[in-house]
Every structure is written in C-alpha cells, then in structure tokens.
Amino acid sequence: MAWYVVYRGREPGVYATWATCHAQASGFKNCCYKSFPTKEEAIASYMERKGCEDHTMDSRVFEKPPSSGVTKTPCLLVVTLVQSFLLLVLIFYIAKHW
C-alpha cells in the first residue's frame, strides 16, 4: 500500500489513500505531494521537509482504515440488480413494440 505526503495543500500531512491525498491537493494552487512505499518513509520525508526532528507526528498522519470486501458486496449486488431490471424492461419494451 502506498502512502502519500501533501507538502503544500489544504491540509499538509501524511495520507494513507490516494483519494484523501488528492482531496487535499486538487485545485490547490502550487500544490506539492509525493507517494512513498511505506508509512515510515512518508513520515520521514514530511518531517524532513518541515524541518522537524521529532518523528512522532501522529496529529499529521491521516489513516483511513482498510475497507473490507463485505461493505462493497451489497453495493455491487444493488448495481447488478438494477442493471438486470433495466435490461428486462428494455427487452419487454422492444418485444412489445417490435
């Protein structure tokens, strides 16, 4: 999992997901951000850029808990059911007006 550092943005810090990093940098003039392979590297880079020696920056590390597949399954099921319903409506409409 990649980690992202926002150096210049709405709220500079270390982010666990691209979506949260992008939300801080998108539309921000002269934004500056970078990805890192590990959390430790991201924090070290952020602290170095800020001129800090203290590596306990819990207030600037923004972690999003990993999403589980269980929460995505109901959404996928609903989308599939809606698509199936729309396909049936289209088939009946075509058959009626053919």
Side-chain angles (χ1 to χ4, degrees):
M1 176 174 115
W3 285 80
Y4 304 89
V5 176
V6 175
Y7 301 105
R8 281 192 311 269
R10 288 180 185 77
E11 189 169 356
V14 179
Y15 294 87
T17 66
W18 166 245
T20 54
C21 171
H22 186 261
Q24 299 306 318
S26 178
F28 192 88
K29 187 176 181 177
N30 295 325
C31 67
C32 181
Y33 57 91
K34 184 177 178 182
S35 68
F36 292 88
T38 66
K39 179 180 178 180
E40 292 75 20
E41 289 178 85
I43 291 173
S45 176
Y46 180 79
M47 298 304 282
E48 181 181 329
R49 185 84 171 250
K50 291 295 181 183
C52 300
E53 293 300 321
D54 180 18
H55 291 292
T56 58
M57 57 165 291
D58 292 335
S59 65
R60 287 288 176 203
V61 177
F62 305 97
E63 294 186 50
K64 181 179 177 183
S67 61
S68 65
V70 176
T71 58
K72 293 180 181 179
T73 304
C75 182
L76 182 62
L77 178 63
V78 169
V79 169
T80 304
L81 289 174
V82 169
Q83 287 178 339
S84 298
F85 174 75
L86 291 174
L87 183 61
L88 285 173
V89 169
L90 181 64
I91 289 170
F92 282 113
Y93 179 81
I94 292 172
K96 183 176 180 182
H97 296 296
W98 189 257

